[in-house]
Amino acid sequence: MVRRIFMLAVMGFFLGTGLAQADEFTRKDLEKWQKAFMAVVKEGERLFHSPLGSNKVSCDMCHPNAANTHPETYPKFQKQLGRVATLRDMINWCIQNPLEGKPLPLDDPRMIALEAYITWERRGVPLAPGKH
Amino acid sequence: MRHNLSRRKFLKSLGMAALASTAPLKLVEVVYGQKIADKFTFAVISDAHITHIKGTRFVRNFDEGLKKAVFEVSFIDPQPDFVVFGGDLAQLGKKEELEHGLEIMSELSLPVKWVIGEHDFYLDMGEYWQEHVGPLYYSFDHKGVHFVVLNSILTYESWIQKFKDPMERMLNMARLDNPHGSPFMVGKEQIAWLKKDLEKYSPETPIVVLSHSPLYKIFKPWNFWTEDAEEVQAVLKRFKKVTVLHGHVHQILYHQIGNITFMAFMSTAWPWPYPVSYSQLPNAVPRITVFMNRADPFKERDGTGWSYLDIQDGYPTQYYQLWENAPRTVYYDPQLGYPVDRDYQDPARRIPPQEHY
Ligand SMILES: [Fe+2]
Ligand SMILES: [Fe+2]
């Protein structure tokens, strides 16, 4: 009981100082961040529809609207790799094979853009990690 | 003689002699063994999408798909009556692609019935095709069945006119998920021709229509769609047995609308997702279709293949030859009045890879 009162007093102290406002953001901030995100989606869409490898083949030829990429199922076990793989592993797999190209570094801005576009086209679908 | 020689040469050039006794060919023999008089067979190769890279280089993957189909069709024994090519021989309608594709196809010693696809058309609006392949639409009779080949990939003139050059137009049509695309159509002129062509046939004559796009409406955003499909269906309405066979969708797909049975062809190049896999928009994928297996991305030829069809008593059976999967057989069931899969139609018999999401 004594402890509870003490806790409340401490919390009251922090609230009173106004520190809780440190990470508040405005509607305008939200719009700005969404715009920044959508710019990356747009770039991802462009890359997805461009020949990223050496043979003029592009992702959209086999994945219109990024269909059949199933980002919500990653990470998942890929029996052909013999391990749990990430979406980025599979993006690179398709760049190296159907597109006959060089894999992208996992933190390459182009990789992030591709992931942003693929995920955006799948928005609203519940997460299903591990699903085949 | 010439045919034998060239076939042997072809075999050698592919280094695939060992394949001469693959399972699909055996299956054909069994079917032929029944010797039913009012039945004939033709093979189908479709959607090869031969892609030119530069100079003499073409995308290896897609070349291999078409070569494999041509090779296997060459070895069906006895040979089918003819081969249907379902359209999209080229990727961007380029002379190099059409020439290279025709060269691979020329290894067949069978007559080929050509259907044009949008990828063959929108660079030069069918000029090369008409000069080197054949007419864009035509009809013929075969063993009591009337065949009609349509050019179903026409579109609005205003869309055709809006591009600065032919390649820009081609690229815009080639992009399946193009939000600024334009729907396929058969058009008034061809529908009038079709009416006239069918005039002299009785309602008892079995009709087989070959088109590139499905002559019904599945999913407009990917042009799994023909804008004036209902008008074509209306012209076919008075016939008792009508089958529409089409390419473009790169997947096992079948449907029944009234008197018309629809079946799609596989592609030799790559499989397409079913529109049910795109979560953002509604679709009208036929409920009776049992989907093909989801492709294994680690097997280049998975989800591709060719097929052959029997027409018996005017009813179709399609035998899908799938390179990394067991074959699938879809036939029209006169009792049910619609097409069914021989092995998987019963939901209790379906397997997990047939679920697409
Ligand atoms: Fe195609
Ligand atoms: Fe097509």
Side-chain angles (χ1 to χ4, degrees):
Chain A
M1 191 60 185
V2 172
R3 188 129 146 229
R4 171 102 63 73
I5 290 164
F6 176 71
M7 284 291 287
L8 285 171
V10 170
M11 280 170 73
F13 171 77
F14 279 112
L15 286 171
T17 60
L19 275 181
Q21 283 166 24
D23 64 348
E24 244 177 38
F25 43 85
T26 63
R27 211 156 257 135
K28 221 160 144 204
D29 288 327
L30 288 176
E31 278 164 26
K32 202 170 83 192
W33 299 340
Q34 184 67 14
K35 238 173 104 183
F37 170 70
M38 286 311 293
V40 175
V41 168
K42 197 97 206 130
E43 174 61 5
E45 180 181 10
R46 191 187 66 77
L47 293 166
F48 200 85
H49 293 77
S50 316
L52 299 176
S54 66
N55 63 0
K56 297 217 167 172
V57 174
S58 57
C59 311
D60 65 302
M61 281 166 61
C62 302
H63 301 288
N65 292 107
N68 259 0
T69 55
H70 304 116
E72 79 281 10
T73 64
Y74 285 89
K76 74 176 167 205
F77 185 76
Q78 282 287 356
K79 77 165 190 266
Q80 303 90 340
L81 299 173
R83 62 177 168 85
V84 172
T86 65
L87 182 69
R88 293 182 191 192
D89 291 329
M90 287 308 293
I91 292 173
N92 266 339
W93 198 94
C94 273
I95 290 176
Q96 287 174 273
N97 292 280
L99 273 62
E100 299 180 59
K102 290 198 182 67
L104 293 173
L106 296 182
D107 60 352
D108 189 296
R110 287 168 295 173
M111 176 61 90
I112 294 166
L114 283 167
E115 186 183 78
Y117 169 68
I118 287 172
T119 315
W120 175 251
E121 285 283 37
R122 203 64 174 161
R123 62 196 179 280
V125 174
L127 283 176
K131 177 174 175 179
H132 248 281
Chain B
M1 190 62 192
R2 191 209 81 84
H3 154 211
N4 277 340
L5 264 177
S6 84
R7 198 190 285 178
R8 199 176 314 139
K9 208 175 69 204
F10 182 50
L11 249 168
K12 254 197 185 151
S13 78
L14 291 173
M16 297 206 297
L19 277 180
S21 63
T22 49
L25 310 178
K26 282 211 193 89
L27 212 153
V28 180
E29 283 163 32
V30 173
V31 171
Y32 272 84
Q34 296 172 354
K35 288 232 163 55
I36 294 162
D38 52 355
K39 179 165 90 174
F40 63 90
T41 303
F42 58 94
V44 175
I45 300 175
S46 194
D47 292 271
H49 290 267
I50 296 300
T51 304
H52 184 224
I53 300 171
K54 204 176 166 186
T56 55
R57 281 182 66 217
F58 293 86
V59 172
R60 178 195 47 75
N61 183 357
F62 308 150
D63 270 22
E64 280 176 14
L66 182 58
K67 284 181 183 167
K68 191 167 163 64
V70 165
F71 175 85
E72 291 179 4
V73 168
S74 303
F75 276 87
I76 302 176
D77 188 18
Q79 288 274 275
D81 292 2
F82 54 86
V83 180
V84 167
F85 186 83
D88 288 351
L89 181 60
Q91 172 63 11
L92 294 175
K94 291 162 77 174
K95 185 167 162 281
E96 291 90 337
E97 294 173 343
L98 291 166
E99 243 170 29
H100 186 56
L102 287 173
E103 195 184 318
I104 297 172
M105 285 290 289
S106 74
E107 297 292 347
L108 291 165
S109 50
L110 294 159
V112 180
K113 307 295 181 187
W114 296 93
V115 181
I116 194 166
E118 81 278 19
H119 288 261
D120 308 314
F121 185 77
Y122 279 93
L123 188 63
D124 67 2
M125 305 307 286
E127 206 170 287
Y128 182 97
W129 191 272
Q130 288 175 89
E131 207 168 299
H132 299 275
V133 182
L136 302 179
Y137 58 92
Y138 55 99
S139 68
F140 60 95
D141 292 306
H142 189 80
K143 298 186 176 168
V145 175
H146 185 59
F147 283 80
V148 179
V149 178
L150 293 178
N151 172 14
S152 66
I153 51 81
L154 297 169
T155 197
Y156 296 107
E157 195 56 32
S158 56
W159 187 88
I160 291 168
Q161 295 305 333
K162 76 181 203 184
F163 300 101
K164 68 173 192 302
D165 62 55
M167 189 43 100
E168 191 193 34
R169 178 179 61 212
M170 180 69 250
L171 287 166
N172 268 277
M173 189 48 97
R175 177 178 169 183
L176 196 74
D177 61 7
N178 188 353
H180 310 293
S182 191
F184 294 143
M185 54 183 70
V186 174
K188 293 233 168 330
E189 189 186 314
Q190 233 180 133
I191 292 175
W193 169 83
L194 177 65
K195 265 186 206 151
K196 211 167 154 42
D197 180 78
L198 293 176
E199 239 166 34
K200 51 188 175 296
Y201 295 92
S202 79
E204 276 70 37
T205 313
I207 308 288
V208 175
V209 179
L210 304 167
S211 63
H212 181 66
S213 58
L215 292 178
Y216 65 109
K217 291 171 170 168
I218 301 162
F219 190 58
K220 196 169 183 178
W222 296 351
N223 248 337
F224 287 15
W225 186 275
T226 304
E227 190 87 334
D228 48 8
E230 292 85 357
E231 289 170 57
V232 180
Q233 291 168 18
V235 178
L236 300 167
K237 199 159 186 125
R238 73 182 175 88
F239 295 94
K240 293 202 175 116
K241 298 171 181 177
V242 185
T243 305
V244 171
L245 303 172
H246 65 90
H248 186 64
V249 296
H250 301 200
Q251 59 195 219
I252 292 176
L253 195 72
Y254 49 96
H255 193 32
Q256 183 79 27
I257 300 176
N259 61 328
I260 308 176
T261 305
F262 298 87
M263 286 185 195
F265 304 143
M266 293 298 289
S267 159
T268 59
W270 68 79
W272 259 332
Y274 288 93
V276 299
S277 306
Y278 184 47
S279 54
Q280 307 302 319
L281 292 170
N283 64 78
V285 173
R287 291 291 191 85
I288 59 169
T289 294
V290 177
F291 294 163
M292 63 187 178
N293 288 0
R294 272 178 53 204
D296 174 352
F298 291 78
K299 293 255 162 64
E300 191 170 89
R301 292 264 69 76
D302 196 13
T304 63
W306 57 279
S307 60
Y308 63 93
L309 275 107
D310 287 342
I311 303 289
Q312 179 166 14
D313 289 332
Y315 294 128
T317 301
Q318 182 162 205
Y319 301 86
Y320 290 100
Q321 307 302 308
L322 309 170
W323 286 316
E324 301 283 353
N325 280 279
R328 290 266 308 262
T329 299
V330 176
Y331 66 96
Y332 176 82
D333 184 323
Q335 255 87 56
L336 293 170
Y338 56 84
V340 293
D341 184 284
R342 192 189 59 193
D343 304 308
Y344 298 108
Q345 200 63 37
D346 176 0
R349 303 198 55 186
R350 303 207 184 151
I351 56 175
Q354 292 165 351
E355 193 211 330
H356 287 243
Y357 61 91

